[in-house]
């Protein structure tokens, strides 16, 4: 059977744009979601950097680890704080999970930042 003998509905191009759009739409939606997730992760990274520097300055002034942790918590939200002393510097490392919208933890994606300040408030 040649193409000329096919029924009219098989030779017609109507609906092809709709089918192509339906096939491409999930890929476009996935790309948009991934871009929004990357922006969200960048925002968390900025907050973590600020929290680490504020915690390091707090520890450098001689404040307690609890006070530095509360400063970091105010800036980064849910986080983990660790500190160390390196010579005349005190360093703070803040790690926080990346949470996409209201969906909860992103499956283990965490961002971290480290900052140091001169100990003793010098």
């Amino acid at each position: 059977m040649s193409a000329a003998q096919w029924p009219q509905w098989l030779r017609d191009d109507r609906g092809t744009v709709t089918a192509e759009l339906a096939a491409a739409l999930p890929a476009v939606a996935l790309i948009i979601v991934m871009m929004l997730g990357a922006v969200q992760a960048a925002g968390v990274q900025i907050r973590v950097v600020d929290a680490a520097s504020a915690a390091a300055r707090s520890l450098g002034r001689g404040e307690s680890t609890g006070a530095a942790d509360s400063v970091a918590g105010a800036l980064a939200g849910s986080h983990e704080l660790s500190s160390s002393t390196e010579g005349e510097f005190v360093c703070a490392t803040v790690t926080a999970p990346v949470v996409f919208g209201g969906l909860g933890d992103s499956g283990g994606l965490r961002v971290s930042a480290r900052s140091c300040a001169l100990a003793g408030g010098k």
Side-chain angles (χ1 to χ4, degrees), residues 44-115:
V44 172
Q45 179 67 40
I46 290 169
R47 288 196 313 269
V48 166
V49 168
D50 289 343
S53 64
R57 286 191 306 268
S58 177
L59 291 169
R61 286 190 300 265
E63 296 178 12
S64 69
T65 305
D69 191 48
S70 113
V71 167
L75 292 170
S78 174
H79 72 286
E80 295 171 5
L81 172 69
S82 62
S83 62
S84 63
T85 303
E86 297 176 9
E88 57 186 28
F89 292 98
V90 61
C91 298
T93 302
V94 176
T95 304
V98 176
V99 179
F100 295 123
L103 300 177
D105 196 350
S106 63
L109 180 62
R110 303 177 69 73
V111 293
S112 182
R114 183 172 185 260
S115 183

